[in-house]
Amino acid sequence: MAATSAASFSAFPSLTRSLRHHLLPYSASLQSRSVLPPSNPSLSLYFSRGFCHVAAAAKPSTEPALKGVPDKTVAESVKRILELAGRAASRREVLHTGFLTPPVVKETMLTIEKFTDVKAIAQGGYPQAERCRISVGHPDLMTSDPDVIAALSISGNFKFEPCSHGDFLGAILGTGIERDAVGDILMQGEKGAQVLVIPDMIEFITGTLDKVGNVGVSCTQIPLLALEYEPPRTKLFKTVEASLRVDALASAGYKISRSKLVSLISKGDVRVNWSTVTKNGATLNAGDVVSVSGLGRLKIGEISKTRKGKYAVELIRYF
């Protein structure tokens, strides 16, 4: 069963008919519509940042609702989704984003709770999914979860040539598909991987993807109930640091030297809340998620000050 969450918000002023072609061509009546191959950039269905581009004219005002979103990049993403929701509300349609990062999903659903008259549902394909799609539409049209997630099994003999998560993602994107058409990738060791994708991409991927790394693969659509996933293993511990800098907390969390962490940052291998870190001195806050290529994720838990003015920080390591 796909993981879902729902909220409601008010209908924005109707967008003009001239903007219709800028929006994702999904509605309750268009779910079976075929998609042009993503290799044609001028006609690609899926735009960057996981959702459609809306022309500058006739945009409803969403700034007041975005005041609680601290990250500017996330706020811009949420703003575009709210505009998509305005379109759905005014025309009584159901529209869908591509796969979004966890911060965008979280802030969008929290923002949506401030409004009424349009229902929003987030789905990732399974309970622990990180990347999710958000569907928005009139409550009368969304009495059940929209069918917007599909699963694909990519199988091959990886016993002697193991491939990483990045290898599978790179191979899929190498076919010309946009990043927001691909959700989580569930690794299966020697067997391969299971991948969540937008349904319209299944036929294209199965007919195009034949290799991951140097390993020949076959691609088959599978039901969501066939997904094999486990709750993440975690380890909780505390550290006391003089600052909340990313190089200090991440080096403590991953049990590596600060110089090694700084080197990883310079290579672009460190992300905070799914955005690449460029400065060693970036400050972390409770709730932030740090990810390092090949080392997994680290969540910043409760932060308190010691009597000596240092920071006692709870760290949660995901394996």
Side-chain angles (χ1 to χ4, degrees):
M1 182 179 294
T4 63
S5 58
S8 302
F9 67 106
S10 66
F12 292 97
S14 176
L15 297 178
T16 62
R17 291 181 180 274
S18 64
L19 295 179
R20 185 180 183 86
H21 68 284
H22 287 287
L23 298 163
L24 288 176
Y26 285 102
S27 68
S29 63
L30 295 176
Q31 285 296 317
S32 61
R33 178 169 178 163
S34 61
V35 180
L36 293 167
S39 57
N40 186 336
S42 64
L43 297 175
S44 176
L45 172 65
Y46 304 105
F47 295 83
S48 63
R49 301 193 183 188
F51 36 79
C52 64
H53 169 72
V54 182
K59 286 185 179 180
S61 177
T62 57
E63 278 73 10
L66 298 173
K67 289 184 178 180
V69 183
D71 186 283
K72 291 183 178 179
T73 301
V74 172
E76 181 63 25
S77 299
V78 175
K79 179 180 179 180
R80 296 190 185 188
I81 298 173
L82 293 182
E83 291 165 354
L84 184 69
R87 165 70 160 77
S90 64
R91 296 191 178 276
R92 295 178 67 87
E93 294 179 309
V94 177
L95 301 174
H96 318 287
T97 70
F99 285 96
L100 307 169
T101 61
V104 174
V105 173
K106 175 185 175 182
E107 295 296 345
T108 298
M109 300 307 288
L110 289 175
T111 303
I112 282 173
E113 291 177 354
K114 302 174 183 178
F115 303 93
T116 58
D117 298 340
V118 173
K119 186 176 182 180
I121 295 175
Q123 302 181 80
Y126 66 105
Q128 285 83 36
E130 289 189 354
R131 297 179 66 89
C132 295
R133 301 186 73 186
I134 293 180
S135 302
V136 290
H138 193 280
D140 293 347
L141 301 177
M142 298 181 67
T143 56
S144 61
D145 295 345
D147 185 16
V148 295
I149 309 288
L152 185 69
S153 174
I154 302 177
S155 58
N157 184 4
F158 293 91
K159 183 176 182 179
F160 301 107
E161 292 192 50
C163 287
S164 66
H165 179 283
D167 292 326
F168 279 89
L169 179 59
I172 295 171
L173 299 185
T175 65
I177 291 177
E178 296 289 344
R179 179 64 181 95
D180 56 8
V182 184
D184 286 3
I185 298 176
L186 305 175
M187 301 299 295
Q188 293 189 296
E190 298 177 0
K191 296 187 296 182
Q194 296 175 332
V195 185
L196 283 306
V197 298
I198 288 174
D200 292 302
M201 293 293 99
I202 286 290
E203 183 177 354
F204 179 80
I205 295 174
T206 55
T208 306
L209 184 64
D210 58 3
K211 184 178 290 188
V212 175
N214 295 318
V215 179
V217 298
S218 60
C219 304
T220 308
Q221 183 175 4
I222 59 174
L224 295 180
L225 291 175
L227 290 172
E228 300 176 6
Y229 57 89
E230 297 179 359
R233 294 184 298 112
T234 63
K235 181 179 180 180
L236 187 151
F237 57 97
K238 290 186 177 182
T239 184
V240 176
E241 303 292 335
S243 75
L244 298 177
R245 289 166 51 118
V246 62
D247 54 355
L249 296 186
S251 62
Y254 289 107
K255 306 296 184 182
I256 59 177
S257 68
R258 188 174 296 193
S259 60
K260 173 64 175 178
L261 198 284
V262 170
S263 175
L264 291 170
I265 290 176
S266 66
K267 295 178 182 177
D269 290 336
V270 180
R271 294 177 174 80
V272 174
N273 297 331
W274 289 267
S275 295
T276 302
V277 175
T278 58
K279 297 180 180 180
N280 306 336
T283 300
L284 299 180
N285 300 296
D288 284 346
V289 176
V290 181
S291 56
V292 176
S293 300
L295 297 180
R297 300 193 311 278
L298 180 73
K299 184 173 183 179
I300 309 302
E302 183 179 345
I303 299 174
S304 60
K305 270 199 170 184
T306 68
R307 293 181 179 179
K308 295 183 178 181
K310 293 188 176 182
Y311 297 93
V313 184
E314 181 181 77
L315 300 175
I316 305 168
R317 178 82 181 273
Y318 290 79
F319 297 92

